Amino acid sequence: MDAQLLTYIFVGVTFTLYIGIAIWSRAGSTDDFYVAGGGVPPLANGMATAADWMSAASYISMAGIISFVGQDGAVYLMGWTGGYVLLALLLAPYLRKFGKYTVPDFVGDRYYSDLARLVAAICVIFISFTYVAGQMRGVGIVFSRFLQVDINTGVVIGMAVVFIYAVLGGMKGITYTQVAQYCVLIFAFMVPAIFISLLMTDNPIPQLGFGSTMSDGSGVYLLDKLDGLSEQLGFNTYTEGNKSTIDVFFITAALMVGTAGLPHVIVRFFTVPKVRDARISAGYALCFIAILYTTAPAVAAFARVNLINTVSNASYAETPEWFKNWEDSGLIAWNDKNGDGKIQYTAGKSFTGKPSFAEARGSNGERLLTNAPTDNTNELYIDRDIMVLANPEIAKLPNWVIALVAAGGLAAALSTAAGLLLVISTSISHDLLKKVFMPEINDKQELMFARLAAAAAIGVAGWFGINPPGFVAQVVAFAFGLAAASFFPVILMGIFYKRMNREGAIAGMLTGLIFTFSYIVYFKFISPELNNAEHWWFGVSPEGIGTLGMIFNFIVSYVVSMVTAPPPQDVQDMVDDIRIPQGAGASYHHHLSH
């Protein structure tokens, strides 16, 4: 069977499974809708957390970025994995013991203020929309290539599927759907990685193949081969970083701390019966996440070597079938500038914005770019987000592996999109309407508003997917920077510093969010020509500026809380209670009953 028919079958079967699970486990109450009734076993919650956590950025984009930037891409691996450990050990068990559904709920009660709750809810909605934009673009990319539809149509199909199981099932439906999605995405990521590792290095374990010699009998190590190829084409040495140490530190810290403030991951710890289960499920999730994260650098290196070997200096007639297939999705293109009929893939200026294509093809039948830099010897445009998805085709793997990778990419994007959309709908229905603007609504009305909010959020997310502000992983990195600058300090100080008060929390959150957002917008959208180390503050790029925003947040929070009145005694007692291990279950039910 051809790859397209197999893809239809794989995607159809997995979508049927997800929707079937959502109908079977649909939410009947707000408790079910928000936290799956608090009864998910730790192993299932660990899988669901891993699926929620490993988004299109992890599955599609992370290895793609590493394959282009080499060592500098390690910031994503270190930041995201380290951040998960930070969240699991430092925050999750305490928030779970506090017994609130959402981060704004914790902020509102801990800082005894509807204004603090409002600021936190706005931060959640803003961060979640930034993050979900990346997921919807991932969905569009997969559909556009494998189901031969336009990227925009792909986004709309993805929206429809998420709508069915997020709006129907709530957290209960999403949790069990995510267990299935984890199984699909990890299998889909590992199968081609093992295949390609065997083909290129004779080692079936990709993590070991990454450091092995090539199977061609040359005795050359894979990474030495890649360094040589990169240098020949004028690129930086793959195994040497280009970023300054301070920028690497700031980006890694922003991703770490941003993880620990991500609302859709934190809420997963409320779906288990006990605080102890929250810790156990965090451990499981870390193991499940590590499988993909330790494999990604190997996949990146394999894909890069194969790409250069099959495309560089080849004539269009010699280019493999996968190249022509991906051309039609608009994610790879060649412009024969010197008219020699060969693809010159060299270092040079990158393309600005989205590529735009001419209707007519070139003299060799190639897809023509109309906005390619003219003062550049590089003739090839490659979207980083295709590297993982095209990898099985580049390596000439069987068609069923190509279809499996497509289904895995959709599972990764949809699982995270669903978690984020639930967080957005919860913030609107629970934190804004129920707690601030419409306290008189009953459980049934709140559930109806949650579903309406989820439906509206899906519409906005789809618009972002059709008009994406950058590569998937870059967009997600901004969401982490914003989470780091706004949430992390107020959650951490809320748990560990009794003197922290309402005024400090609000001032800190606003300072961190406004500073980080302004910096990113200035360098990325207002003055992109100044977006280089010469003009950055302290040499820190927009991707890492969330760390500086977080430091400002901590300073402002502390100073403001010291010069204003301390929090009421009952709030200080509550902070003591959160940190005492005994009676966790009783505390949870006591808080829920209120």
Side-chain angles (χ1 to χ4, degrees), residues 4-339:
Q4 191 173 350
L5 180 60
L6 280 166
T7 305
Y8 275 115
I9 293 168
F10 277 44
V11 171
V13 168
T14 53
F15 276 17
T16 306
L17 176 67
Y18 306 153
I19 292 167
I21 291 170
I23 293 168
W24 164 72
S25 59
R26 65 184 178 275
S29 66
T30 50
D31 207 27
D32 276 349
F33 195 87
Y34 294 148
V35 291
V40 180
L43 181 65
N45 196 53
M47 278 187 165
T49 306
D52 213 347
W53 173 235
M54 290 190 294
S55 60
S58 294
Y59 184 95
I60 296 173
S61 210
M62 184 170 65
I65 281 195
I66 295 170
S67 76
F68 278 83
V69 300
Q71 185 190 306
D72 288 338
V75 294
Y76 294 97
L77 290 169
M78 295 186 297
W80 285 339
T81 321
Y84 187 81
V85 176
L86 190 71
L87 169 65
L89 297 180
L90 200 61
L91 302 181
Y94 300 111
L95 288 171
R96 173 65 184 77
K97 187 178 177 193
F98 188 73
K100 291 295 172 187
Y101 291 140
T102 65
V103 175
D105 227 0
F106 169 79
V107 171
D109 283 21
R110 166 60 182 85
Y111 296 111
Y112 48 97
S113 161
D114 277 347
L115 181 60
R117 187 191 308 275
L118 191 64
V119 172
I122 290 165
C123 289
V124 164
I125 292 165
F126 189 79
I127 291 161
S128 299
F129 271 129
T130 310
Y131 201 169
V132 86
Q135 310 316 312
M136 297 319 277
R137 172 162 163 80
V139 171
I141 288 170
V142 175
F143 273 118
S144 73
R145 161 62 191 93
F146 294 105
L147 302 183
Q148 305 291 311
V149 297
D150 180 63
I151 283 192
N152 299 351
T153 312
V155 171
V156 173
I157 297 169
M159 284 163 58
V161 175
V162 175
F163 176 84
I164 293 169
Y165 71 78
V167 174
L168 248 187
M171 181 56 93
K172 196 173 175 189
I174 285 172
T175 297
Y176 292 105
T177 307
Q178 282 173 337
V179 171
Q181 284 166 331
Y182 175 77
C183 297
V184 171
L185 80 87
I186 205 69
F187 188 65
F189 197 83
M190 293 307 295
V191 166
I194 292 165
F195 257 120
I196 296 168
S197 186
L198 263 172
L199 285 171
M200 292 182 74
T201 66
D202 288 333
N203 195 316
I205 302 168
Q207 292 89 333
L208 299 179
F210 184 51
S212 300
T213 53
M214 301 292 288
S215 59
D216 56 11
S218 62
V220 176
Y221 282 94
L222 173 76
L223 289 174
D224 288 339
K225 167 98 172 172
L226 190 45
D227 277 346
L229 288 170
S230 299
E231 284 174 352
Q232 275 175 32
L233 300 175
F235 294 101
N236 293 324
T237 310
Y238 190 81
T239 53
E240 285 179 18
N242 203 24
K243 289 184 184 295
S244 66
T245 307
I246 188 164
D247 199 27
V248 168
F249 175 80
F250 269 73
I251 294 173
T252 305
L255 293 170
M256 271 183 72
V257 175
T259 303
L262 274 180
H264 72 292
V265 180
I266 290 173
V267 78
R268 289 242 60 95
F269 295 100
F270 293 99
T271 61
V272 289
K274 300 195 293 289
V275 177
R276 182 169 171 271
D277 294 336
R279 288 188 190 276
I280 294 168
S281 66
Y284 278 133
L286 196 57
C287 295
F288 294 137
I289 291 166
I291 297 170
L292 188 143
Y293 270 59
T294 54
T295 309
V299 169
F302 299 152
R304 182 79 172 163
V305 171
N306 276 334
L307 175 81
I308 294 171
N309 280 340
T310 54
V311 171
S312 184
N313 227 23
S315 69
Y316 192 72
E318 292 167 1
T319 54
E321 194 58 37
W322 70 265
F323 188 95
K324 290 162 181 147
N325 290 339
W326 279 97
E327 265 193 318
D328 291 332
S329 68
L331 297 169
I332 195 165
W334 166 51
N335 228 0
D336 191 11
K337 292 177 184 170
N338 58 6

Side-chain angles (χ1 to χ4, degrees), residues 485 507-508 511-512 515 537-538 547-557:
T511 303
F515 167 75
W537 278 25
F538 313 113
T547 304
L548 197 57
M550 173 193 74
I551 294 166
F552 289 161
N553 184 337
F554 270 121
I555 294 167
V556 169
S557 300

